[in-house]
Amino acid sequence: MADLSINFAGIKAPNPFWLASAPPTDKAYNVVRAYEAGWGGVVWKTLGEDPAAVNVSSRYSAIYGKNKEVLGFNNIELITDRSLEINLREIEQVKKDWPDRALVVSLMVPCEEESWKYILPLVEATGADGIELNFGCPHGMPERGMGAAVGQVPEYVEMVTRWCKTYSKMPVIVKLTPNITDIRGPARAAYNGGADAVSLINTINSITSIDLDQMVARPIVGGRSTHGGYCGPAVKPIAMNMVAEIARDPATAGIPISGIGGIGSWRDAAEFIALGASSVQVCTAAMLYGFRIVEEMKDGLSRWMDEKGYNSIADFSGKAIPNTTDWKYLDMNYKVIAQIDQDKCIGCGRCYIACEDTSHQSIANLLQDNGTHKYEVKEEECVGCNLCQITCPVTDCITMVPQDTGEPYMNWTQDPRNPFREAS
Amino acid sequence: MIKSLSHLPTAEASQDALAGQFTDLHPPLNQRQAEIESARCLYCYDAPCVNACPSDINIPRFIRNIAQDNINGAAQTILESNILGGSCARVCPTEVLCEQACVRNHSDECEPVKIGLLQRYATDNMQFSSHPFKRAAATGKTIAVVGAGPAGLSCAHRLAMLGNQVVIFEAQSKPGGLNEYGIAKYKMTDNFAQKEVEFLLQIGGIELRYGLALGHNLSLQELQKDYDAVFLGIGLGASRQLGLTGEDAPGLMAAVDYIKELRQADDLTTLPVAKRAVVIGAGNTAIDMAVQMARLGADQVTLVYRRGTESMSATEHEQDIAKANQVKIVTWAQPKEVLLDDSGKVSAMRFEKTVLDASGKLTGTGELLDIPADGVFKAIGQTFDESSLNDVNLGRDGDRIRIDDGFRTSLSGVYAGGDCVAPGEDLTVQAVQHGKLAAMSIHQDLMTNVEAA
Ligand SMILES: Cc1cc2nc3c(=O)[nH]c(=O)nc-3n(C[C@H](O)[C@H](O)[C@H](O)COP(=O)(O)OP(=O)(O)OC[C@H]3O[C@@H](n4cnc5c(N)ncnc54)[C@H](O)[C@@H]3O)c2cc1C
Ligand SMILES: Cc1cc2nc3c(=O)[nH]c(=O)nc-3n(C[C@H](O)[C@H](O)[C@H](O)COP(=O)(O)O)c2cc1C
Ligand code: SF4
Ligand code: SF4
Ligand code: SF4
């Protein structure tokens, strides 16, 4: 059996599945249920200064797939709406009762040294394993100079991180906002400030849908709405790219990354880890299906690791990074061609119309004697874009088959068609 | 009252209980089901289901409209190809039409998309503030349509849409044809046939005249004279005969005549029920008859066919419905003799067992089989009612009217479509398609003549 335990920036956990700082980790009741369900750790719902934040009624909205499965989730909640004192007392008790699980405390206080200097010792006294700095909340809090308002300014990120390292001995994880052009900026700032790790992503500014009768976005609060933070499956590709950007950046080489964003299955987790994460955090999936989902995630991940011969998370963490490169280093001589498995094809014609209308007119629509259609790839026309394979509703019906061109690796920097190629 | 069965007891169960037997055979989808089912459609290109729909409905488009909560858009997509899309959604044997062609029939795809039920969902739930189709500028032409069945109604609607005036002549006192008088009661609930006609007439420009039967109190020559064109959609008014003595004995009747009474009965308890019923035939009419008699309270219903089940024109799905209603199906037996009791009423039906001989021809074996019966219903096919055309000489193809690919008969200015013509299958949807195409052909011919003049 693969060993799922991790040591993330000095924080130990029996498995890499943590609950992200959010409603699932709002209070002792939820966290204890999560631990009972088997989660390796939690990041406690973000604490702030008293008086505690106040939330509005009607807080979430979503976009859906064809079977009403949630693809993207949006919220306008603030940080904890409970007092600091109650939260700290519960954290201390829970950590005492569950010593083997990771318990990280998320924090957000004003960008003033005194505020941090005040709260850090209080948190440290609970016995918590570490802190996560919430520089990401994109709604409500930035209007008060916190959350993403800090995360978007690398200088602030570095400064606050340094304060935290100065006034506490706990590992410091900096949680990054994706609402920024180049994620490497704040990541480098965190690194320079002495962060022990980064976690990402927090939510993305979003409006999920509009009530076209009332002419107002959702969620609706008394006839008005505001942008919220987007998460769930739809944000996973954005999160993974950002994780990869940091993992590939020599300036932050080796910094532990906790991957967050749209994780709901063992495969999602494995993908983040392959891109350099060494723990993962989950929010939306738990909110939609409950804590029990961790069971399938642990089971799936460890079976897959056994199959692949990976003994520990570290064995495959970052394994996809060397293969994630800049466009200019891709092999210009590589070629794939679509191939349709006629036995699997159900004749829906989608590959044909997709390629015909929007790609390279490389699929022939052949009318058969019995009135049905047969679809065949015109190999000489196919540019290998994958579109037909993507639109085909049947699994493994269209395969992109690598062609033996007999030509060696040649990237764009070497390509004679590139007017700015490097002299050879 | 059905004269030939007046000696039989009437249905025993209460009206409520009987009505419960004739509710929707396939209940309509609710919103949730329509959401799930519409999401299963793959929005095929050159979709095989469309090619299999005799009325060319753009199925992927209407289903996608449903999935996007655009029910009126879905309904309009259906109705622009098939103005009787509501009845077709109820009566089409989808298992041999669109749904048979659906790509999700493929072995790995679980099951076809429920196209018929989705079509019903759209047409049942559409909400138009006014008729969804507009009439083109008036052409000044008036066309006579004979028969207010699916073919005639479809033809009339399309002609009106193209800017023509239409007068429909109908022998019965109600429109709808077999939608009103023939389709099984549990397929056409809630007076739907009449509601659909009301909807279709909203287009305007269509006048309906009842109680006028071609060949009786209406002459084709007159119509030719008085109208710019004539469309015949008169269906198949006569039932095939067994050709046996005793065929008109009390206790024996044509299935369609019984079904007609059933469809028109407000009080089902007044209907005569054959405790032991025999239905002769192998088509959907035979199945409908057998199942409806079983639901009215017959103890034993036996459907007898002279060949094997594989040759039955009733689909497998229809045969399953019969079996589910405890109808016994006896094959390889042909009607031989109507057995009567002392008072001259039907007491049993005698059949002769059959086989295929060496040359593949059906022959009797000489072995006899008597099935006791209080009522025998023949459903061995409908044929053209010759009396309709007794005053003219119209080119024929077997017993049907011969037409060319523009639905033109041998008489100039006279067109025909639906069950009364040769090509195609006798299905509601086919009749609708004929009516629509004939209307376009009539319109085009009239307009060409205008230009030429
Ligand atoms: C019992 C039964 C069950 C059926 N079940 C199904 C089914 O489940 N699904 C399916 O798709 N199809 C079914 N059919 C077939 C379907 O009903 C017909 O194919 C369809 O109705 C044909 O339409 P039509 O307009 O050509 O003829 P009809 O529906 O027969 O309409 C002809 C119209 O013309 C009128 N008419 C006839 N003669 C004259 C005249 N001389 N002068 C004036 N008017 C006249 C009639 O009164 C009638 O209104 C069934 C048929 C029967 C008999
Ligand atoms: C309702 C809600 C409240 C959240 N509150 C916080 C918070 O207080 N602090 C924080 O750092 N992130 C917060 N998040 C962001 C999540 O921790 C996480 O980064 C984000 O949802 C992406 O992960 P997911 O796709 O698994 O949901 C919140 C998310 C949601 C949906
Ligand atoms: S890969 Fe692109 S070009 Fe090739 S067949 Fe598919 S869609 Fe057409
Ligand atoms: S998309 Fe797939 S299933 Fe559909 S026609 Fe093309 S190859 Fe066949
Ligand atoms: S064949 Fe089936 S899946 Fe394809 S468009 Fe028609 S109903 Fe939809």
Side-chain angles (χ1 to χ4, degrees), chain A residues 340-341 344-352 363 375 388 391-394 397-398:
Chain A
I340 297 175
D341 180 339
K344 287 197 174 135
C345 174
I346 60 174
C348 71
R350 289 239 302 253
C351 56
Y352 166 76
I363 295 181
Y375 298 95
C388 54
T391 196
C392 177
V394 180
C397 174
I398 299 185

Side-chain angles (χ1 to χ4, degrees), chain B residues 95-234:
Chain B
E95 65 278 8
V96 294
L97 300 172
C98 53
E99 289 176 24
Q100 186 179 48
C102 174
V103 299
R104 303 212 85 169
N105 267 301
H106 200 270
S107 54
D108 294 344
E109 300 290 313
C110 292
E111 55 174 48
V113 174
K114 294 180 175 36
I115 302 170
L117 283 171
L118 286 169
Q119 180 170 324
R120 175 159 179 195
Y121 181 79
T123 48
D124 277 1
N125 292 291
M126 63 187 184
Q127 278 176 329
F128 291 107
S129 51
S130 60
H131 192 68
F133 300 99
K134 300 271 158 298
R135 294 184 68 190
T139 59
K141 304 284 178 191
T142 305
I143 293 105
V145 168
V146 187
L153 290 167
S154 160
C155 182
H157 185 270
R158 184 55 57 119
L159 283 169
M161 211 168 124
L162 294 168
N164 306 287
Q165 289 294 117
V166 182
V167 179
I168 305 183
F169 299 90
E170 166 58 50
Q172 301 288 331
S173 56
K174 278 187 189 175
L178 291 172
N179 274 356
E180 176 59 35
Y181 295 107
I183 300 285
K185 196 170 177 67
Y186 42 70
K187 290 187 189 168
M188 278 288 206
T189 57
D190 296 331
N191 204 21
F192 183 76
Q194 295 309 309
K195 290 182 192 162
E196 189 172 48
V197 174
E198 266 166 48
F199 162 76
L200 162 166
L201 292 177
Q202 285 169 2
I203 184 128
I206 304 174
E207 184 196 333
L208 259 158
R209 296 187 194 160
Y210 300 107
L212 294 170
L214 196 68
H216 301 274
N217 51 3
L218 190 68
S219 119
L220 183 54
Q221 282 166 9
E222 295 285 316
L223 291 177
Q224 275 184 286
K225 227 173 15 211
D226 297 345
Y227 293 90
D228 296 298
V230 181
F231 173 78
L232 302 176
I234 52 181

Side-chain angles (χ1 to χ4, degrees), chain B residues 283-299:
Chain B
N284 290 348
T285 304
I287 301 271
D288 285 355
M289 181 65 226
V291 171
Q292 291 179 110
M293 189 46 76
R295 291 188 170 204
L296 280 171
D299 293 332

Side-chain angles (χ1 to χ4, degrees), chain A residues 160-203:
Chain A
V160 176
T161 307
R162 186 161 292 125
W163 291 337
C164 292
K165 287 309 292 179
T166 312
Y167 299 115
S168 100
K169 286 191 264 315
M170 294 178 286
V172 174
I173 306 168
V174 174
K175 185 168 179 180
L176 302 174
T177 174
N179 298 306
I180 186 156
T181 320
D182 186 346
I183 196 68
R184 290 173 303 184
R188 285 172 190 162
Y191 184 82
N192 295 339
D196 298 276
V198 290
S199 58
L200 70 160
I201 58 173
N202 209 309
T203 55

Side-chain angles (χ1 to χ4, degrees), chain A residues 6 8-9 11 16 18-22 42-44 46 104-107 130-137 151 157 161 171-180 183-184 186-191 195-203 238-244 246-247 252 254-263 272 276-282:
Chain A
I6 55 164
F8 181 82
I11 304 169
W18 296 5
L19 283 163
S21 172
V42 303
V43 182
W44 201 277
T46 307
V104 174
V105 177
S106 171
L107 294 176
I131 54 172
E132 185 181 79
L133 310 186
N134 179 348
F135 291 158
C137 183
V157 172
T161 307
V172 174
I173 306 168
V174 174
K175 185 168 179 180
L176 302 174
T177 174
N179 298 306
I180 186 156
I183 196 68
R184 290 173 303 184
R188 285 172 190 162
Y191 184 82
D196 298 276
V198 290
S199 58
L200 70 160
I201 58 173
N202 209 309
T203 55
I238 297 166
M240 292 218 293
N241 174 56
M242 291 184 165
V243 166
I246 295 173
T252 51
I255 193 165
I257 302 172
S258 187
I260 318 171
I263 296 170
F272 271 92
S278 42
S279 83
V280 293
Q281 298 183 29
V282 176

Side-chain angles (χ1 to χ4, degrees), chain A residues 59 61 86 159 163 233 240 262 271 311 317 328:
Chain A
R59 306 176 184 181
S61 62
I86 291 177
M159 179 175 74
W163 291 337
M240 292 218 293
E271 290 175 8
N311 295 319
S317 177
K328 62 176 180 267

